[in-house]
Amino acid sequence: MRPLTAISSGLLLAACLLATDALAQTGGSEGLSPTLSAIKNAHTVRLGYRESSPPFSFLDQANRPIGYSLELCEAIVEEIGAEVDDPNLRIDYVKVTSDDRIDALLQNKIDLECGSTTANSERGKRVAFSPLMFVAGTKLMVPKASSVQQLSDLKGKTIVVTKGTTNEQAIRAADQKFSLGLTIVVGADHEQSYQMLVDGKADAFATDDILLSGLIVRHKAQDKFRVTGDYLSYDPYGIMFRKGEPQLSAVIERAFRKLGSNHDLVPLYNKWFMARMPTGERMNVPISLQLEEAFKAMDDSASANN
């Protein structure tokens, strides 16, 4: 369990990232913001998805994008439709990776990024984030037979990380701080990083604990791999969108508050983290106290104030 101060700081950071964007004024005061205007003209919202980040964003047996983050994005699309007076907006699903997701947003290739992206202060200088949707942290996946229990046990060994992730930054920082002499290899996406561990090209795979668990479940590898170690980072997730558009920011928060006030957030969480997923696997990860409290803060209904 992480100290309450760390949890509170993380939640405050995520809230500040959203609040800061709401104060930015780069579009005109009249009409729609740039992203909303482009969506209205194209009658289409482009959602960035990940291929191998279950249960947030991944492909089903028919190679269709599904997941918890995508359902949240679809709720945002519905709210965007109300804002631009077009209830029949089309959705265009665009594949992104951990390495190119921010550039895809900044280069106007997608409108919302619906994956497993950490909202931190460094990224907050370039992009904006929705209210909190999950809390994770960097841990290690190792073979069941491995003696590794924590990062220090990997001294002088090889660890794989996924390119462009906060986990890569956390491992490189820890390697330098504790003089571990790690050989750090990089996968293009989580699936490739996982496969490098399977193939024996690395002694451990470091990424967010929930993503490691999702990959183990997806590959039915519970008898082959385990998740271990202390948390090496604190990673609050959000839906990513372009900065400087307070109208879009308000629409996204409104979508979250509608879900919160209708008491849909926890059932949506349970659908992807507790129940059997459409692909047949089950995560069995109960909602954390900090995320449950964040969802309660999204509830504007009368019952929440009684």
Side-chain angles (χ1 to χ4, degrees):
M1 181 68 68
R2 273 170 254 149
L4 256 211
T5 52
I7 293 171
S8 300
S9 298
L11 294 176
L12 181 60
L13 170 62
C16 287
L17 288 173
L18 179 65
T20 300
D21 182 70
L23 293 174
Q25 299 285 341
T26 60
S29 58
E30 297 179 1
L32 297 172
S33 71
T35 295
L36 293 176
S37 178
I39 288 171
K40 184 176 179 65
N41 291 336
H43 308 288
T44 303
V45 183
R46 298 161 302 167
L47 302 184
Y49 73 91
R50 302 286 295 279
E51 287 190 321
S52 55
S53 292
F56 298 92
S57 183
F58 61 112
L59 298 176
D60 66 11
Q61 293 94 331
N63 285 326
R64 293 172 301 200
I66 60 171
Y68 170 69
S69 302
L70 284 163
E71 282 214 42
L72 286 171
C73 277
E74 287 159 8
I76 294 171
V77 171
E78 185 175 339
E79 197 62 32
I80 289 174
E83 184 75 7
V84 304
D85 195 24
D86 186 349
N88 299 309
L89 290 173
R90 296 187 302 271
I91 293 178
D92 183 13
Y93 295 95
V94 181
K95 184 183 78 170
V96 297
T97 68
S98 57
D99 193 38
D100 69 13
R101 55 190 163 178
I102 294 178
D103 286 340
L105 190 69
L106 296 178
Q107 293 170 9
N108 202 33
K109 295 176 181 177
I110 59 173
D111 301 308
L112 302 171
E113 191 266 339
C114 316
S116 49
T117 298
T118 299
N120 59 27
S121 56
E122 180 183 351
R123 288 173 174 168
K125 296 172 184 176
R126 305 177 67 198
V127 296
F129 291 92
S130 72
L132 187 72
M133 67 172 190
F134 194 80
V135 180
T138 306
K139 284 199 173 188
L140 307 173
M141 183 197 296
V142 297
K144 275 259 181 146
S146 171
S147 62
V148 171
Q149 299 294 331
Q150 55 191 357
L151 186 64
S152 59
D153 296 331
L154 286 166
K155 188 168 185 177
K157 296 185 178 181
T158 299
I159 187 167
V160 61
V161 294
T162 302
K163 187 176 183 181
T165 60
T166 53
N167 319 107
E168 179 184 3
Q169 298 171 5
I171 293 301
R172 292 190 185 281
D175 179 40
Q176 185 174 18
K177 181 177 181 179
F178 299 111
S179 302
L180 297 175
L182 297 173
T183 297
I184 302 173
V185 294
V186 178
D189 57 29
H190 295 316
E191 187 63 34
Q192 186 179 106
S193 297
Y194 172 81
Q195 195 58 48
M196 291 176 74
L197 182 64
V198 170
D199 294 341
K201 296 178 180 178
D203 299 291
F205 170 23
T207 195
D208 292 343
D209 54 337
I210 189 64
L211 299 178
L212 294 173
S213 297
L215 286 164
I216 289 173
V217 168
R218 190 83 199 276
H219 288 278
K220 299 179 173 60
Q222 292 89 337
D223 61 336
K224 297 178 182 176
F225 299 105
R226 58 184 171 86
V227 179
T228 189
D230 296 327
Y231 281 104
L232 303 171
S233 67
Y234 177 72
D235 297 282
Y237 287 2
I239 303 297
M240 189 166 57
F241 60 101
R242 279 180 284 279
K243 280 180 71 71
E245 297 195 39
Q247 186 181 13
L248 176 60
S249 181
V251 168
I252 291 170
E253 176 154 358
R254 195 160 65 238
F256 268 76
R257 290 195 174 279
K258 281 189 177 180
L259 290 171
S261 300
N262 292 334
H263 303 135
D264 288 333
L265 284 171
V266 172
L268 179 60
Y269 177 96
N270 288 337
K271 172 183 175 180
W272 291 100
F273 293 88
M274 294 297 293
R276 195 172 299 280
M277 293 186 287
T279 45
E281 307 90 357
R282 190 191 297 269
M283 293 289 299
N284 285 323
V285 178
I287 191 169
S288 64
L289 176 61
Q290 57 266 43
L291 186 60
E292 191 170 23
E293 288 301 313
F295 284 171
K296 285 180 181 177
M298 290 286 108
D299 186 355
D300 292 331
S301 65
S303 61
N305 301 312
N306 288 341

